[in-house]
Amino acid sequence: MALSCVLEPALSGFNFDNSTRNIVLENGSEEGKIKAPKPMKTGTTIAGLVYKDGVVLGADTRATSDEVVADKKCAKIHYIAPNIYCCGAGTAADTEKTTDMLSSNLTIFSMNSGRNPRVIMAVNILQDMLFRYRGMIGAHLILGGVDCTGSHLYTVGPYGSMDKVPYLGMGSGKLPAMGILEDRFKANMDLEEAKALVSDAIHAGIMSDLGSGNNIDLCVITKEGWTISDLTESPL
Amino acid sequence: MATALRFPANVSTFNNYNDLHPDWTQREVSTGTTIMAVEFDGGVVIGADSRTTTGAYIANRVTDKLTPIHERIFCCRSGSAADTQAIADAVTYQLGFHSIELDEAPLVQTAASLFRDMCYRYREELMAGIIVAGWDRRRGGQVYTVPVGGMMTRQPVSVGGSGSSYIYGYVDSNYRTGMSKEECLKFTAEALTLAMERDGSSGGVVRLAVISEQGVERQAILGNQLPKFSTV
């Protein structure tokens, strides 16, 4: 456990107060029923891979609400720590809040202990939290980072399962992205090859999946630091 | 608690994807699986396939389902990936603590009991079939099975997971007491291969480990090196 935590979790069970309120609102009065707002999904293609000097993460930038594009320049690569970034697919609010809380907790840990956070620590904290909520938090995450033990890429699922992998695609566009990655991935690629492969994988997702589109964001993390770049694709 | 059990129908979960997303990729991650463990004189041989599925999509084709719990105690995980990972983490902590208190290597039976306690207490919420295997000084190599529901029993050979149904006949007819380490390795690899051939949720590579007084030796048999059987 982190030495101290932001937002101490509730000690017993779930709190469904808001759901009771929602039922009352939905069943409504004689004037009219109030419909609960639909959660915004991030449709999404996200991908990551480990290359010779670090990790490359990529994501598209489309956020959908059913068939409408709600956000054309949505940022799906979230900051966790100077050396750790996280791509999120699933329910937009859940990935946003979960990664925010994780980032806050790791910052407190860094300040308390004087150490840089490790990727496996971020993974453990996420697993603990998502498992506790039994899949109700719709966050499918790819975490990548470089720490004192090396470069790592992990995926954490909404039920709290994790896998350590050299390359991965997630989101609704994961099938085309994985096709590209399975075909061209090699261990210890150099930077240009790795960036090209990730952006091609996201591109495949954008082309073949309706829920993914607009631009491609890339994030490269190495021992020295990180760079985020936008690859501008013409809107599709 | 009443609040915890009431799930309001209008709360949409992330499973309500619209037609854009194929439903079969949205299920919970399961370790489909075939797992196996065999005792021999001086240790145990454990083995597993390497496929993790979400519905009909293979989320990870090189999974490691042989999870170390302590230096000479491993568990083979089948069922829900999230549940088994969480249980294994909890038991690793408890066993580590117990071992430090005792200042001695823990018994395999202790590890199996910890798994059983957790799997039985939370049997309604969990979906986990686990085989605990290892070596200790008191009783040598031991295999304990803790299937879904939380029973625990010691067996000389145990199989588990969705693919195990296809190899009960093979295991029952080919197991003999007093096999050597190499014979056990061959037996396990062949049984797992046969299960992987027939079970859609099992596949990938065969991961094997031998646990004995000397420590743990791990190996992986890749797809093209698997034992070959009839191609009819």
Side-chain angles (χ1 to χ4, degrees):
Chain A
M1 275 304 247
L3 292 173
S4 55
C5 252
V6 158
L7 297 177
E8 211 46 56
L11 281 176
S12 57
F14 296 120
N15 182 349
F16 277 113
D17 286 351
N18 280 343
S19 311
T20 337
R21 175 205 71 182
N22 287 351
I23 293 179
V24 170
L25 285 178
E26 289 236 334
N27 291 327
S29 52
E30 287 80 49
E31 288 92 72
K33 303 176 196 287
I34 303 165
K35 247 174 80 70
K38 277 217 163 38
M40 183 169 84
K41 311 274 192 211
T42 52
T44 298
T45 309
I46 51 178
L49 59 78
V50 178
Y51 76 103
K52 193 175 60 179
D53 301 320
V55 174
V56 180
L57 298 173
D60 75 303
T61 60
R62 175 178 289 183
T64 50
S65 191
D66 281 347
E67 302 80 35
V68 176
V69 176
D71 188 351
K72 287 185 290 189
K73 273 222 102 197
C74 165
K76 303 184 192 180
I77 305 188
H78 308 282
Y79 168 86
I80 304 291
N83 56 328
I84 306 175
Y85 273 76
C86 177
C87 303
T91 308
D94 290 344
T95 57
E96 194 67 46
K97 269 306 167 193
T98 307
T99 47
D100 267 356
M101 274 175 54
L102 177 63
S103 171
S104 305
N105 278 326
L106 285 183
T107 312
I108 293 182
F109 163 77
S110 286
M111 290 197 266
N112 262 333
S113 65
R115 290 174 185 254
N116 275 331
R118 300 191 188 185
V119 188
I120 186 65
M121 181 173 185
V123 172
N124 281 328
I125 294 176
L126 275 176
Q127 266 197 300
D128 282 346
M129 183 185 140
L130 292 174
F131 183 74
R132 202 175 340 124
Y133 284 93
R134 310 287 298 160
M136 298 299 272
I137 297 185
H140 306 244
L141 304 166
I142 297 186
L143 263 123
V146 181
D147 59 34
C148 58
T149 55
S151 320
H152 305 285
L153 189 71
Y154 289 90
T155 174
V156 182
Y159 285 87
S161 60
M162 76 92 157
D163 277 308
K164 185 177 198 309
V165 282
Y167 59 92
L168 193 72
M170 286 290 267
S172 55
K174 71 179 166 203
L175 295 173
M178 277 306 270
I180 301 289
L181 288 168
E182 287 281 17
D183 185 35
R184 282 160 47 184
F185 176 83
K186 294 189 304 283
N188 292 322
M189 286 191 288
D190 57 35
L191 177 62
E192 286 316 310
E193 224 183 322
K195 275 168 63 173
L197 180 52
V198 174
S199 69
D200 283 350
I202 306 293
H203 186 88
I206 289 175
M207 284 291 159
S208 309
D209 174 45
L210 297 179
S212 310
N214 303 104
N215 301 349
I216 302 179
D217 282 342
L218 282 189
C219 173
V220 180
I221 312 168
T222 59
K223 235 178 22 221
E224 282 79 42
W226 47 267
T227 49
I228 294 206
S229 54
D230 275 341
L231 292 183
T232 320
E233 288 273 308
S234 50
L236 300 155
Chain B
M1 286 192 168
T3 347
L5 293 175
R6 233 187 318 125
F7 271 60
N10 63 323
V11 171
S12 60
T13 71
F14 69 95
N15 274 322
N16 289 347
Y17 266 56
N18 55 28
D19 296 331
L20 295 176
H21 318 296
D23 179 52
W24 44 264
T25 54
Q26 305 315 323
R27 311 255 194 77
E28 185 184 341
V29 177
S30 143
T31 50
T33 295
T34 316
I35 50 177
M36 181 166 167
V38 190
E39 290 175 9
F40 65 92
D41 181 23
V44 291
V45 169
I46 56 175
D49 74 303
S50 70
R51 182 173 287 185
T52 324
T53 47
T54 42
Y57 177 70
I58 299 174
N60 188 351
R61 58 182 170 83
V62 285
T63 328
D64 186 6
K65 303 180 191 177
L66 306 175
T67 308
I69 304 297
H70 203 265
E71 223 182 301
R72 284 180 179 73
I73 306 178
F74 268 63
C75 78
C76 313
R77 301 179 291 111
S78 75
S80 153
D83 290 349
T84 53
Q85 283 176 8
I87 297 171
D89 282 348
V91 171
T92 305
Y93 159 74
Q94 291 167 353
L95 198 67
F97 187 90
H98 165 75
S99 168
I100 290 176
E101 265 190 333
L102 239 50
D103 195 21
E104 200 178 278
L107 298 177
V108 187
Q109 185 184 4
T110 313
S113 290
L114 288 170
F115 271 107
R116 182 267 315 275
D117 284 349
M118 193 163 292
C119 292
Y120 180 70
R121 184 181 303 265
Y122 298 108
R123 56 183 298 167
E124 303 301 327
E125 287 84 26
L126 293 173
M127 164 90 113
I130 297 179
I131 300 181
V132 185
W135 180 93
D136 62 46
R137 252 183 16 160
R138 195 183 288 185
R139 299 203 187 104
Q142 298 144 75
V143 171
Y144 294 86
T145 181
V146 182
V148 170
M151 166 186 100
M152 175 182 94
T153 183
R154 182 177 172 188
Q155 295 179 315
V157 60
S158 186
V159 293
S162 57
S164 64
S165 337
Y166 305 101
I167 51 173
Y168 277 110
Y170 179 82
V171 167
D172 287 343
S173 56
N174 284 66
Y175 174 72
R176 293 161 288 117
T177 48
M179 288 200 284
S180 70
K181 178 178 96 172
E182 286 68 28
E183 285 172 316
C184 284
L185 278 166
K186 183 162 173 291
F187 174 52
T188 309
E190 290 186 346
L192 289 171
T193 306
L194 286 167
M196 282 155 57
E197 290 283 300
R198 287 293 180 178
D199 179 31
S201 314
S202 305
V205 308
V206 168
R207 293 201 189 274
L208 296 167
V210 181
I211 311 169
S212 64
E213 185 174 4
Q214 285 72 41
V216 179
E217 306 158 26
R218 302 204 55 164
Q219 51 176 284
I221 306 182
L222 303 188
N224 53 356
Q225 299 155 352
L226 290 170
K228 307 242 181 312
F229 294 95
S230 151
T231 47
V232 165

